[in-house]
Amino acid sequence: MTRRTTDNLLKEAVIQIGAGGSAGFIEVCIMHPMDLVKTRFQLQVKPTKLDPLYYTGIRDCMMKMYKTEGLPAFWKGILPPIVVETPKRAVKFFTFEQYKQFFLFGASAPTPLTFSCAGFFAGMTEAILVNPFEVVKVKLQSNRKHVKESPSTFAVTREIVSKYGLGLNGLNKGLSATIMRNAVFNSFYFGFYHSVKGYIPVREEPWLEFLTKVAVGFVSGSVASCLNIPFDVAKSRIQGSQGDTQYRGTLNTMHIVYKTEGFRALYKGLLPKVLRLGPGGAIMLVVYDYMHTYLTKKFKE
Protein backbone atom coordinates (compact mmCIF):
# COMPACT_ATOMS: atom_id res chain seq x y z
CA MET A 1 0.00 0.00 0.00
CA THR A 2 1.47 3.35 -1.05
CA ARG A 3 1.93 6.26 1.32
CA ARG A 4 -0.62 8.25 -0.67
CA THR A 5 -3.23 5.52 -0.32
CA THR A 6 -2.56 5.24 3.44
CA ASP A 7 -2.91 9.01 3.83
CA ASN A 8 -6.22 8.95 1.95
CA LEU A 9 -7.55 6.15 4.16
CA LEU A 10 -6.52 8.00 7.32
CA LYS A 11 -8.15 11.20 6.07
CA GLU A 12 -11.35 9.32 5.24
CA ALA A 13 -11.37 7.74 8.71
CA VAL A 14 -10.90 11.15 10.36
CA ILE A 15 -13.72 12.59 8.24
CA GLN A 16 -16.12 9.76 9.09
CA ILE A 17 -15.27 9.83 12.80
CA GLY A 18 -15.46 13.63 13.00
CA ALA A 19 -18.78 13.81 11.17
CA GLY A 20 -20.29 10.94 13.19
CA GLY A 21 -19.10 12.32 16.51
CA SER A 22 -20.49 15.79 15.76
CA ALA A 23 -23.85 14.33 14.75
CA GLY A 24 -24.13 12.28 17.94
CA PHE A 25 -23.13 15.10 20.29
CA ILE A 26 -25.68 17.55 18.86
CA GLU A 27 -28.45 14.94 18.82
CA VAL A 28 -28.05 13.82 22.44
CA CYS A 29 -27.93 17.38 23.82
CA ILE A 30 -31.21 18.27 22.12
CA MET A 31 -33.17 15.02 22.51
CA HIS A 32 -32.12 13.61 25.93
CA PRO A 33 -35.31 14.69 27.81
CA MET A 34 -37.42 12.47 25.54
CA ASP A 35 -35.07 9.55 26.18
CA LEU A 36 -35.57 10.05 29.91
CA VAL A 37 -39.38 10.12 29.59
CA LYS A 38 -39.23 6.96 27.46
CA THR A 39 -37.21 5.13 30.12
CA ARG A 40 -39.62 6.19 32.88
CA PHE A 41 -42.57 4.70 30.96
CA GLN A 42 -40.66 1.49 30.23
CA LEU A 43 -39.85 1.04 33.93
CA GLN A 44 -43.46 1.65 35.00
CA VAL A 45 -44.82 -1.76 36.02
CA LYS A 46 -48.52 -2.29 36.77
CA PRO A 47 -49.09 1.31 37.87
CA THR A 48 -52.21 2.42 39.72
CA LYS A 49 -53.77 5.84 39.43
CA LEU A 50 -53.51 6.17 43.22
CA ASP A 51 -49.75 6.27 42.82
CA PRO A 52 -48.75 9.97 42.83
CA LEU A 53 -45.93 9.14 40.42
CA TYR A 54 -48.15 7.25 37.97
CA TYR A 55 -47.58 8.73 34.52
CA THR A 56 -50.66 8.96 32.29
CA GLY A 57 -48.90 10.57 29.36
CA ILE A 58 -45.85 12.51 28.23
CA ARG A 59 -47.13 15.88 29.49
CA ASP A 60 -48.19 14.37 32.82
CA CYS A 61 -44.78 12.70 33.22
CA MET A 62 -42.89 15.90 32.45
CA MET A 63 -45.08 17.99 34.79
CA LYS A 64 -44.66 15.56 37.70
CA MET A 65 -40.92 15.34 37.11
CA TYR A 66 -40.64 19.11 37.04
CA LYS A 67 -42.61 19.51 40.29
CA THR A 68 -40.95 16.73 42.28
CA GLU A 69 -37.43 16.61 40.81
CA GLY A 70 -36.79 20.04 39.31
CA LEU A 71 -36.02 21.26 35.78
CA PRO A 72 -32.47 19.80 35.61
CA ALA A 73 -34.07 16.35 36.14
CA PHE A 74 -34.86 16.25 32.41
CA TRP A 75 -31.15 15.80 31.83
CA LYS A 76 -30.64 13.08 34.46
CA GLY A 77 -28.21 10.49 33.19
CA ILE A 78 -26.94 12.72 30.38
CA LEU A 79 -23.26 12.54 31.39
CA PRO A 80 -22.76 8.89 30.31
CA PRO A 81 -24.22 9.49 26.82
CA ILE A 82 -22.33 12.80 26.52
CA VAL A 83 -19.07 11.05 27.42
CA VAL A 84 -19.74 8.18 25.06
CA GLU A 85 -21.82 9.88 22.36
CA THR A 86 -18.99 11.28 20.28
CA PRO A 87 -17.02 7.99 20.15
CA LYS A 88 -20.28 5.99 19.95
CA ARG A 89 -21.65 7.78 16.90
CA ALA A 90 -18.17 8.00 15.43
CA VAL A 91 -17.93 4.20 15.71
CA LYS A 92 -21.49 3.81 14.37
CA PHE A 93 -20.89 5.81 11.19
CA PHE A 94 -17.28 4.73 10.70
CA THR A 95 -18.03 1.00 11.01
CA PHE A 96 -21.10 1.43 8.80
CA GLU A 97 -18.86 2.74 6.03
CA GLN A 98 -16.43 -0.17 6.51
CA TYR A 99 -19.15 -2.84 6.66
CA LYS A 100 -20.73 -1.27 3.57
CA GLN A 101 -17.61 -2.10 1.58
CA PHE A 102 -17.62 -5.65 2.98
CA PHE A 103 -21.28 -6.28 2.10
CA LEU A 104 -21.10 -5.11 -1.51
CA PHE A 105 -21.29 -8.82 -2.45
CA GLY A 106 -19.35 -8.14 -5.65
CA ALA A 107 -21.67 -5.38 -6.82
CA SER A 108 -20.23 -2.17 -8.23
CA ALA A 109 -22.56 -0.02 -6.12
CA PRO A 110 -24.28 -0.56 -2.74
CA THR A 111 -27.78 -2.07 -2.76
CA PRO A 112 -30.53 -1.76 -0.09
CA LEU A 113 -29.35 -5.15 1.26
CA THR A 114 -25.81 -3.77 1.51
CA PHE A 115 -27.01 -0.80 3.57
CA SER A 116 -29.18 -2.99 5.83
CA CYS A 117 -26.46 -5.56 6.53
CA ALA A 118 -23.88 -2.84 7.15
CA GLY A 119 -26.32 -1.08 9.50
CA PHE A 120 -27.06 -4.30 11.40
CA PHE A 121 -23.40 -5.03 12.13
CA ALA A 122 -22.59 -1.38 12.81
CA GLY A 123 -25.38 -1.47 15.43
CA MET A 124 -23.89 -4.59 17.03
CA THR A 125 -20.45 -2.97 17.20
CA GLU A 126 -21.90 0.25 18.63
CA ALA A 127 -23.88 -1.67 21.28
CA ILE A 128 -20.82 -3.44 22.67
CA LEU A 129 -19.12 -0.06 23.14
CA VAL A 130 -22.11 1.75 24.63
CA ASN A 131 -23.72 -0.86 26.91
CA PRO A 132 -21.79 -0.01 30.13
CA PHE A 133 -22.83 3.62 29.73
CA GLU A 134 -26.43 2.54 29.12
CA VAL A 135 -26.44 0.59 32.40
CA VAL A 136 -25.33 3.69 34.33
CA LYS A 137 -27.71 5.96 32.40
CA VAL A 138 -30.79 3.80 33.07
CA LYS A 139 -29.86 3.53 36.75
CA LEU A 140 -29.66 7.33 36.96
CA GLN A 141 -32.87 7.84 34.98
CA SER A 142 -34.83 5.44 37.19
CA ASN A 143 -34.03 7.54 40.26
CA ARG A 144 -37.09 9.64 41.20
CA LYS A 145 -35.49 11.82 43.85
CA HIS A 146 -34.88 15.54 43.40
CA VAL A 147 -31.72 16.31 41.48
CA LYS A 148 -30.05 17.69 44.62
CA GLU A 149 -30.62 14.38 46.43
CA SER A 150 -29.74 12.11 43.50
CA PRO A 151 -26.39 10.28 43.42
CA SER A 152 -23.75 11.39 40.95
CA THR A 153 -22.79 9.49 37.83
CA PHE A 154 -19.49 8.50 39.43
CA ALA A 155 -21.22 7.27 42.61
CA VAL A 156 -23.66 5.10 40.64
CA THR A 157 -20.85 3.67 38.48
CA ARG A 158 -18.74 2.88 41.54
CA GLU A 159 -21.71 1.19 43.26
CA ILE A 160 -22.44 -1.02 40.23
CA VAL A 161 -18.79 -2.04 39.81
CA SER A 162 -18.22 -2.70 43.54
CA LYS A 163 -21.40 -4.78 43.93
CA TYR A 164 -21.63 -6.57 40.61
CA GLY A 165 -18.36 -6.08 38.73
CA LEU A 166 -17.83 -5.53 35.02
CA GLY A 167 -19.57 -8.65 33.71
CA LEU A 168 -23.10 -9.50 32.59
CA ASN A 169 -24.48 -8.80 36.07
CA GLY A 170 -22.65 -5.49 36.36
CA LEU A 171 -21.60 -2.89 33.81
CA ASN A 172 -22.45 -5.20 30.92
CA LYS A 173 -25.89 -6.14 32.17
CA GLY A 174 -28.44 -6.43 29.35
CA LEU A 175 -25.78 -6.63 26.64
CA SER A 176 -27.75 -8.98 24.38
CA ALA A 177 -30.82 -6.72 24.55
CA THR A 178 -28.71 -3.66 23.71
CA ILE A 179 -27.11 -5.51 20.78
CA MET A 180 -30.49 -6.52 19.34
CA ARG A 181 -31.98 -3.08 19.96
CA ASN A 182 -29.16 -1.28 18.16
CA ALA A 183 -28.76 -3.85 15.38
CA VAL A 184 -32.46 -3.84 14.43
CA PHE A 185 -32.63 -0.04 14.61
CA ASN A 186 -29.55 0.60 12.49
CA SER A 187 -30.43 -2.06 9.95
CA PHE A 188 -33.60 -0.21 8.98
CA TYR A 189 -32.27 3.28 9.78
CA PHE A 190 -29.33 3.12 7.39
CA GLY A 191 -31.02 0.77 4.93
CA PHE A 192 -34.05 3.00 4.39
CA TYR A 193 -32.26 6.37 4.48
CA HIS A 194 -29.52 5.57 2.00
CA SER A 195 -31.76 3.53 -0.30
CA VAL A 196 -34.51 6.17 -0.52
CA LYS A 197 -32.04 9.06 -0.73
CA GLY A 198 -30.46 7.39 -3.75
CA TYR A 199 -33.77 7.49 -5.65
CA ILE A 200 -34.57 11.12 -4.89
CA PRO A 201 -32.99 13.59 -7.30
CA VAL A 202 -30.70 16.21 -5.74
CA ARG A 203 -32.52 19.54 -5.35
CA GLU A 204 -30.90 22.66 -6.69
CA GLU A 205 -32.30 24.78 -3.87
CA PRO A 206 -30.26 24.13 -0.68
CA TRP A 207 -33.29 24.49 1.61
CA LEU A 208 -35.30 21.94 -0.40
CA GLU A 209 -32.39 19.50 -0.30
CA PHE A 210 -32.11 20.07 3.47
CA LEU A 211 -35.85 19.47 4.04
CA THR A 212 -35.75 16.31 1.90
CA LYS A 213 -32.93 14.86 3.99
CA VAL A 214 -34.71 15.83 7.21
CA ALA A 215 -37.94 14.13 6.04
CA VAL A 216 -36.20 10.89 5.01
CA GLY A 217 -34.16 10.89 8.23
CA PHE A 218 -37.30 11.45 10.31
CA VAL A 219 -39.10 8.51 8.69
CA SER A 220 -35.99 6.33 9.08
CA GLY A 221 -35.70 7.07 12.81
CA SER A 222 -39.45 6.80 13.49
CA VAL A 223 -40.03 3.44 11.78
CA ALA A 224 -36.77 1.98 13.16
CA SER A 225 -37.98 2.97 16.67
CA CYS A 226 -41.23 1.05 16.16
CA LEU A 227 -39.33 -2.04 15.02
CA ASN A 228 -36.84 -2.23 17.88
CA ILE A 229 -38.82 -1.04 20.90
CA PRO A 230 -39.59 -4.51 22.36
CA PHE A 231 -35.83 -5.01 22.72
CA ASP A 232 -35.55 -1.52 24.22
CA VAL A 233 -38.23 -2.34 26.82
CA ALA A 234 -36.39 -5.57 27.69
CA LYS A 235 -33.12 -3.63 28.00
CA SER A 236 -34.65 -1.06 30.36
CA ARG A 237 -36.22 -3.76 32.56
CA ILE A 238 -32.98 -5.75 32.78
CA GLN A 239 -30.81 -2.71 33.47
CA GLY A 240 -33.25 -0.79 35.69
CA SER A 241 -33.93 -1.12 39.40
CA GLN A 242 -35.71 -4.47 39.71
CA GLY A 243 -38.49 -5.12 42.21
CA ASP A 244 -40.19 -8.45 42.86
CA THR A 245 -39.71 -9.62 39.27
CA GLN A 246 -36.14 -10.47 38.31
CA TYR A 247 -35.50 -9.97 34.60
CA ARG A 248 -32.82 -12.15 33.04
CA GLY A 249 -32.19 -12.62 29.32
CA THR A 250 -33.72 -10.68 26.43
CA LEU A 251 -36.31 -13.17 25.19
CA ASN A 252 -37.17 -14.30 28.71
CA THR A 253 -37.76 -10.68 29.77
CA MET A 254 -39.98 -10.03 26.73
CA HIS A 255 -41.94 -13.18 27.60
CA ILE A 256 -42.43 -12.06 31.23
CA VAL A 257 -43.57 -8.59 30.15
CA TYR A 258 -45.98 -10.07 27.60
CA LYS A 259 -47.35 -12.68 30.03
CA THR A 260 -47.84 -10.36 33.02
CA GLU A 261 -48.68 -7.04 31.34
CA GLY A 262 -49.93 -7.89 27.86
CA PHE A 263 -48.68 -7.31 24.32
CA ARG A 264 -48.98 -3.52 24.51
CA ALA A 265 -46.46 -3.43 27.36
CA LEU A 266 -43.75 -4.40 24.87
CA TYR A 267 -44.34 -1.00 23.26
CA LYS A 268 -44.20 1.10 26.42
CA GLY A 269 -42.50 4.42 25.84
CA LEU A 270 -43.05 4.23 22.07
CA LEU A 271 -44.36 7.78 21.68
CA PRO A 272 -41.51 9.53 23.55
CA LYS A 273 -39.07 7.19 21.78
CA VAL A 274 -40.44 8.22 18.37
CA LEU A 275 -40.47 11.88 19.46
CA ARG A 276 -36.83 11.47 20.38
CA LEU A 277 -35.48 9.25 17.58
CA GLY A 278 -37.67 10.60 14.76
CA PRO A 279 -36.25 14.14 14.98
CA GLY A 280 -33.04 12.75 16.51
CA GLY A 281 -32.56 10.39 13.59
CA ALA A 282 -33.07 13.27 11.17
CA ILE A 283 -30.62 15.48 13.11
CA MET A 284 -27.93 12.79 13.11
CA LEU A 285 -28.10 11.86 9.45
CA VAL A 286 -28.38 15.43 8.22
CA VAL A 287 -25.56 16.71 10.48
CA TYR A 288 -23.44 13.71 9.41
CA ASP A 289 -24.04 14.39 5.70
CA TYR A 290 -23.23 18.08 5.94
CA MET A 291 -20.26 17.61 8.29
CA HIS A 292 -18.90 14.86 6.02
CA THR A 293 -19.11 17.21 3.04
CA TYR A 294 -17.51 20.06 5.00
CA LEU A 295 -14.66 17.94 6.39
CA THR A 296 -14.04 16.33 3.00
CA LYS A 297 -13.50 19.77 1.47
CA LYS A 298 -11.24 20.78 4.35
CA PHE A 299 -9.08 17.66 4.39
CA LYS A 300 -8.91 16.88 0.68
CA GLU A 301 -8.45 20.32 -0.81
Side-chain angles (χ1 to χ4, degrees):
M1 185 180 290
T2 65
R3 180 178 176 80
R4 189 171 181 179
T5 305
T6 304
D7 288 345
N8 285 338
L9 288 173
L10 286 173
K11 284 181 180 178
E12 190 59 39
V14 169
I15 290 167
Q16 291 164 6
I17 290 169
S22 302
F25 180 79
I26 292 171
E27 187 270 340
V28 76
C29 289
I30 296 172
M31 304 308 300
H32 187 77
M34 279 296 110
D35 183 69
L36 176 57
V37 172
K38 175 213 72 173
T39 303
R40 288 292 177 90
F41 277 112
Q42 290 177 345
L43 293 173
Q44 191 163 257
V45 184
K46 291 185 177 179
T48 66
K49 293 188 178 180
L50 296 175
D51 183 353
L53 293 178
Y54 167 70
Y55 305 129
T56 59
I58 294 175
R59 184 176 179 276
D60 180 61
C61 177
M62 297 182 82
M63 290 297 293
K64 285 176 178 174
M65 281 181 58
Y66 175 73
K67 288 178 181 177
T68 60
E69 302 171 51
L71 182 62
F74 292 110
W75 282 269
K76 272 185 177 179
I78 195 173
L79 187 56
I82 283 289
V83 170
V84 77
E85 202 62 34
T86 299
K88 169 189 170 183
R89 300 305 187 192
V91 167
K92 175 195 186 91
F93 284 97
F94 175 70
T95 55
F96 170 74
E97 295 294 340
Q98 309 317 305
Y99 285 127
K100 189 172 71 176
Q101 299 302 315
F102 180 78
F103 287 110
L104 280 173
F105 299 117
S108 57
T111 64
L113 180 61
T114 302
F115 294 129
S116 293
C117 289
F120 188 90
F121 281 90
M124 289 180 66
T125 307
E126 174 194 38
I128 294 168
L129 170 69
V130 80
N131 192 69
F133 297 89
E134 286 286 317
V135 172
V136 177
K137 184 193 77 171
V138 171
K139 195 76 171 175
L140 288 164
Q141 289 181 337
S142 64
N143 185 295
R144 295 190 177 193
K145 295 179 181 177
H146 194 279
V147 173
K148 293 179 180 178
E149 301 171 2
S150 299
S152 67
T153 301
F154 178 74
V156 169
T157 306
R158 185 173 57 184
E159 180 188 6
I160 293 170
V161 173
S162 63
K163 284 186 178 179
Y164 308 106
L166 304 174
L168 296 178
N169 288 321
L171 273 186
N172 273 296
K173 196 174 187 180
L175 178 60
S176 63
T178 305
I179 287 175
M180 287 309 301
R181 181 194 71 161
N182 288 29
V184 170
F185 181 90
N186 285 303
S187 179
F188 183 87
Y189 182 63
F190 283 116
F192 183 85
Y193 179 80
H194 288 286
S195 299
V196 171
K197 193 179 74 166
Y199 289 106
I200 300 174
V202 177
R203 311 280 182 161
E204 292 183 5
E205 301 89 344
W207 66 273
L208 270 178
E209 178 67 11
F210 173 78
L211 289 178
T212 301
K213 288 182 177 180
V214 168
V216 178
F218 180 84
V219 173
S220 301
S222 299
V223 177
S225 298
C226 297
L227 294 175
N228 85 331
I229 192 166
F231 297 106
D232 200 12
V233 171
K235 184 192 81 71
S236 293
R237 291 293 177 89
I238 294 168
Q239 294 176 345
S241 301
Q242 302 192 14
D244 296 332
T245 306
Q246 295 297 304
Y247 300 102
R248 294 287 185 273
T250 305
L251 295 179
N252 181 54
T253 297
M254 291 169 68
H255 176 71
I256 292 171
V257 172
Y258 170 74
K259 190 175 179 180
T260 58
E261 301 170 55
F263 180 75
R264 290 179 63 184
L266 291 171
Y267 291 83
K268 278 185 175 181
L270 177 60
L271 183 55
K273 182 179 174 71
V274 169
L275 289 176
R276 188 249 165 136
L277 288 174
I283 290 168
M284 271 196 298
L285 287 170
V286 171
V287 171
Y288 178 81
D289 273 357
Y290 283 105
M291 280 299 293
H292 192 281
T293 302
Y294 171 77
L295 292 173
T296 300
K297 288 180 180 176
K298 277 285 185 183
F299 276 88
K300 293 192 173 181
E301 277 181 352

